Amino acid sequence: MSKMSKDEINRLIHDFNAELSALSQAVNLVNDKFEFDKILARRMSSLMPAKMDEILLNWEKIKELLSRDLN
Amino acid sequence: MTKKHSALIVEDDELSRITLSCLLEGFAATEEAADSVSAIKKIEAKKYDMIFIDLDLERELAGLEIIVKARASGAYTIVLSGREENRYIQQAYERGCHDFLSKPFDHRALELVIGKFNIIKGQAQLADMFSYEFLTQDNNLIKQLEILAELSAHNRPVLIQGETGTGKTMLAKLIHKFAYASLGNFVHLNCSEIPENLIESELFGYEKGAFSGAEQSRRGKIDLANNGTLFLDEIGTIPLSTQKKLLKVLEEKTYYPLGSNVLSKSNFKLISATCDSLEELVAEKKFRADLYFRLEGINFYIPALRERKKDIPLLIKHFQKEFPRKVVFSSALQNFLENNNWPGNVRELKKVIELLLVKSRGIVDIVDLPGHLLPATIAATVTTTTTTLTSYSRAQEAEDNRDELLSSAIINKVESEGLAAAINEIEKKLTLYFLERNEFKVRKTLTELQISNNYFYRIKGRGFLPEGVPLED
C-alpha cells in the first residue's frame, strides 16, 4: 500500500466507522421490519454481505497501516 | 400518521437509501435516486418538499451540483456525508443546503432536521397567517417570526410582552399551532383572573380533602399540559410564594399536587405572556429574578397599536368583513378610527367596530362611537375649531385651563339637562367602557369600578348595553 496522507487515513477510519453504523442501523431495521414487512427485511438482508465486504476491506487496510507503522 | 410530505433520497449506497427511507416512514413519501443523472431528472420532473443528498455519488463530490438544483426547486435540502472537513461543509452551505448531516447520523439528528423543516415550512404559512389573522404589516413584528426556526432545536421557553389587547394570546396560539401542535394540547391559564389563594390549586391540581371544599381530586393546568403547551398569561401577577413552586416545576419538571405526597411529572413547552415589565417587577422585588431568567428564552415584543397605525385600516377592513351585515363608515369616522391612539389596542378597536356594525343606520358616523370615545372626539373637533381662531377671549382662556376631566360633552350635558343627568350619563358610559375593556366580565368590572353588585345592576337598569351583548360572571 502506498503511503497515505493524514487526511486519507482519517477518511479511511471515518468511512469504516460510518459503514459499521450503517450496517448496525440496517440490522436494527431488519429486526423492526421482520414481522411486518418481510420483503423489505429480505431485501435489506441481501444487501448486508456487500456492506460487510466493504467493512472487511477497510478493516484490512487499517490493519495493514497499523502493522506497517509498528514495523 | 399521514405522509404529508415528499422526499427524494439521493444516495449511491442502496442499503443506506433503504435505511433512510425507513427512518422517514410516516413523515414523508420517499423516492430514491442512486446517481446524479437520475437525481436531476427526478428533481426536474417533480417538486419535492425535502431532498437528502449524499455528497459522494458515482464520482466524488457529485452531490455538490445537485444541491444547487435542489435549492432552485424550492426543496428543503439536506446533505448527508461522511466528509467532515470544513472546506466541504462550507462548499455545501455555499451552494445553498439547509442542513449538513454527518454520517453516521442517528434518529435524534434526523428528528432535529425534520423539526427545523417543519418550522421553516410553517414560517411561510405563519407569515400568511400574520397577514390574514394577526393582520400586521409591521416589519419588525414579522421579522421576529424568523426566530421561530430556533424553537424546534431546543427547549427554550417563549416570553411574549406587549400591552393589553395587542394579541398576546393569539400569538401564543399561533406559536403552539406551528411549533408544538403535533406534541399535544394547548392549555391556557390567565393568572390575573384567578384569586391569589386559588392559583396554586389551578396550576398544580389537588387531591380530595386537600382543603375545605376540595370534595374531589382535580387535575391542575400543569398536568393537563403534559406533552403539550402551557400558556401562562399575565405571569407577572403570580404571587411570590407560587413563583418559587413554579420555578421548581420549570427546572425539574416535577411537582406535588396540593394535598398529595406523590411526586407528579409533567413535560410541557412553556409560553408566558405579560403586559408588565418583568424587569421592573424584579427590581421592585415583586417577581423572582431566577424565575424571570428561567422564563426568558425566545422573546417576542408586540408593539402597541399606536406604534403601528398603518395596521389600523387593515384591521378595520378585517373586522368589517367578519360581520355579515355591511355598513359604510363616514370619512370622519374612518379618519378618527385610523388616528385614535387605542389604549386598549386591537381588542378595543375590535369591540368598537363591532358596536358600530350593529347600528341600525347604513352609514355610520362619528356620533355613533361608544360613549368613552365620544368626548375625546368632540374635544378633538373643538380643538380643531379653536386653532383657527386668532384671538383669545377670557372665556376661551378659562376653557383652555379647564380640568381635563371636564370634557365639552359633559359640560354640554350639564348645561342642557342638569348635573344629575350628566352624572347618570357618566356612570353609564364608564360602566360600559370598563365592561368592554374586560370583555363583558361582570366580576372583574365590579372590582375595577370598586362598586357593589347592587350598584352595578342599578346602573345597568338605566339601560346602556346594546341588545344581544352577553354578560359573563
Side-chain angles (χ1 to χ4, degrees):
Chain A
M1 187 188 281
S2 59
K3 187 156 174 63
M4 292 178 90
S5 69
K6 179 83 180 140
D7 270 3
E8 285 169 325
I9 295 168
N10 282 345
R11 179 86 201 276
L12 182 64
I13 293 175
H14 187 273
D15 284 353
F16 180 66
N17 186 25
E19 275 155 7
L20 273 177
S21 298
L23 186 67
S24 160
Q25 224 167 21
V27 171
N28 282 333
L29 278 170
V30 167
N31 184 39
D32 289 348
K33 298 282 172 196
F34 194 78
E35 275 188 42
F36 313 103
D37 195 344
K38 282 203 167 34
I39 295 171
L40 183 70
R42 200 175 301 143
R43 187 178 159 206
M44 290 181 84
S45 301
S46 68
L47 292 166
M48 285 179 187
K51 183 60 75 183
M52 285 190 255
D53 285 347
E54 280 176 44
I55 292 169
L56 268 176
L57 194 69
N58 278 335
W59 176 69
E60 288 289 351
K61 283 181 192 169
I62 293 168
K63 200 173 68 165
E64 203 180 311
L65 275 173
L66 286 171
S67 63
R68 195 184 59 189
D69 279 3
L70 281 173
N71 296 328
Chain B
M1 194 193 292
T2 51
K3 292 179 182 177
K4 53 181 178 174
H5 303 301
S6 58
L8 175 66
I9 301 168
V10 186
E11 164 71 80
D12 58 340
D13 183 74
E14 193 179 357
L15 193 63
S16 300
R17 276 203 312 273
I18 300 171
T19 306
L20 182 55
S21 180
C22 288
L23 291 173
L24 290 170
E25 201 174 43
F27 172 74
T30 55
E31 288 182 30
E32 299 171 17
D35 55 65
S36 50
V37 175
S38 60
I40 289 170
K41 261 188 199 163
K42 278 180 179 285
I43 293 168
E44 284 171 350
K46 182 178 169 180
K47 191 167 163 33
Y48 297 93
D49 294 314
M50 304 176 97
I51 300 179
F52 292 85
I53 304 165
D54 183 18
L55 268 194
D56 298 306
L57 295 163
E58 70 279 3
R59 60 193 155 79
E60 289 203 344
L61 300 174
L64 286 174
E65 294 157 28
I66 305 172
I67 297 173
V68 181
K69 295 271 179 194
R71 270 310 299 263
S73 76
Y76 190 82
T77 308
I78 306 111
V79 169
L80 313 164
S81 180
R83 292 179 183 268
E84 290 193 325
E85 296 93 327
N86 280 341
R87 61 180 184 277
Y88 298 124
I89 299 173
Q90 192 177 338
Q91 280 184 46
Y93 277 118
E94 280 170 358
R95 279 168 172 76
C97 80
H98 290 93
D99 265 308
F100 191 107
L101 282 185
S102 181
K103 287 184 190 175
F105 57 88
D106 58 10
H107 282 263
R108 247 174 47 85
L110 197 60
E111 276 166 15
L112 200 78
V113 167
I114 289 172
K116 242 182 102 180
F117 160 77
N118 275 332
I119 292 294
I120 286 174
K121 196 173 169 67
Q123 264 185 0
Q125 287 171 288
L126 195 57
D128 283 350
M129 286 279 276
F130 262 66
S131 305
Y132 295 113
E133 282 192 39
F134 208 80
L135 294 147
T136 184
Q137 293 181 333
D138 186 272
N139 285 336
N140 288 336
L141 186 51
I142 293 170
K143 207 165 167 48
Q144 290 184 59
L145 295 174
E146 290 174 13
I147 216 167
L148 282 174
E150 293 179 22
L151 282 176
S152 61
H154 46 64
N155 204 16
R156 278 160 68 187
V158 176
L159 177 62
I160 306 170
Q161 289 176 292
E163 286 182 12
T164 183
T166 46
K168 296 187 290 295
T169 303
M170 192 176 192
L171 180 59
K173 285 180 180 167
L174 285 176
I175 290 171
H176 168 78
K177 184 174 172 186
F178 283 95
Y180 306 143
S182 60
L183 303 175
N185 294 331
F186 179 82
V187 179
H188 179 183
L189 177 69
N190 188 332
C191 305
S192 68
E193 285 179 354
I194 313 287
E196 280 196 14
N197 55 340
L198 293 182
I199 193 129
E200 286 193 16
S201 57
E202 278 292 322
L203 269 173
F204 303 108
Y206 52 82
E207 291 296 319
K208 184 179 174 183
F211 48 84
S212 56
E215 287 165 5
Q216 55 189 19
S217 303
R218 191 177 163 199
R219 293 172 70 193
K221 300 288 187 195
I222 290 174
D223 185 32
L224 293 169
N226 188 23
N227 294 323
T229 305
L230 178 64
F231 174 48
L232 295 180
D233 201 359
E234 298 305 348
I235 195 159
T237 61
I238 287 189
L240 277 166
S241 56
T242 313
Q243 288 176 26
K244 192 177 173 187
K245 292 184 181 175
L246 183 61
L247 180 67
K248 188 172 177 288
V249 180
L250 298 181
E251 282 176 346
E252 298 171 16
K253 304 283 181 197
T254 58
Y255 65 98
Y256 290 98
L258 301 187
S260 168
N261 52 11
V262 180
L263 195 65
S264 295
K265 281 186 184 177
S266 180
N267 190 18
F268 55 86
K269 302 278 184 183
L270 179 70
I271 304 177
S272 42
T274 178
C275 59
D276 302 313
S277 161
L278 290 185
E279 292 96 328
E280 281 175 22
L281 291 178
V282 168
E284 292 165 13
K285 301 205 181 304
K286 289 178 182 163
F287 203 85
R288 291 178 67 101
D290 44 10
L291 179 60
Y292 170 56
F293 296 135
R294 193 69 184 73
L295 294 177
E296 267 209 325
I298 293 177
N299 297 353
F300 285 92
Y301 170 70
I302 309 180
L305 199 49
R306 66 179 170 280
E307 293 167 31
R308 49 183 179 106
K309 280 192 172 167
K310 64 179 179 184
D311 283 345
I312 295 178
L314 268 180
L315 289 159
I316 295 173
K317 213 179 241 180
H318 174 74
F319 298 139
Q320 279 178 313
K321 243 192 260 171
E322 279 187 338
F323 202 71
R325 180 173 166 262
K326 303 297 168 205
V327 296
V328 177
F329 288 174
S330 73
S331 55
L333 175 62
Q334 184 77 18
N335 190 41
F336 170 81
L337 295 172
E338 288 180 16
N339 291 296
N340 192 36
N341 273 338
W342 299 110
N345 290 296
V346 182
R347 184 185 296 138
E348 186 189 7
L349 175 66
K350 186 178 182 202
K351 290 284 172 202
V352 169
I353 304 285
E354 282 170 0
L355 286 169
L356 290 170
L357 291 173
V358 295
K359 295 287 172 190
S360 57
R361 283 191 299 282
I363 298 173
V364 187
D365 201 3
I366 208 152
V367 291
D368 296 306
L369 283 165
H372 72 279
L373 288 172
L374 205 49
T377 321
I378 293 167
T381 316
V382 168
T383 311
T384 317
T385 316
T386 50
T387 51
T388 60
L389 300 174
T390 50
S391 63
Y392 279 88
S393 65
R394 286 187 65 168
Q396 280 168 327
E397 207 175 309
E399 185 73 8
D400 288 344
N401 293 332
R402 194 176 69 203
D403 190 293
E404 61 180 15
L405 266 178
L406 304 177
S407 69
S408 303
I410 294 172
I411 292 182
N412 289 342
K413 188 87 182 170
V414 175
E415 282 172 352
S416 59
E417 295 174 44
L419 183 62
I423 290 172
N424 183 15
E425 194 64 18
I426 290 167
E427 276 187 340
K428 288 198 296 187
K429 295 212 184 286
L430 277 172
T431 310
L432 178 60
Y433 169 72
F434 278 89
L435 266 175
E436 283 170 1
R437 212 173 73 166
N438 294 323
E439 297 177 327
F440 295 95
K441 289 186 176 113
V442 174
R443 192 168 297 183
K444 201 171 172 201
T445 305
L446 291 184
T447 312
E448 285 184 359
L449 290 173
Q450 299 179 38
I451 58 173
S452 69
N453 223 21
N454 286 343
Y455 198 97
F456 171 79
Y457 282 101
R458 264 212 303 279
I459 302 171
K460 184 177 172 284
R462 294 178 208 148
F464 60 85
L465 279 173
E467 267 183 45
V469 175
L471 291 179
E472 291 174 34
D473 190 25

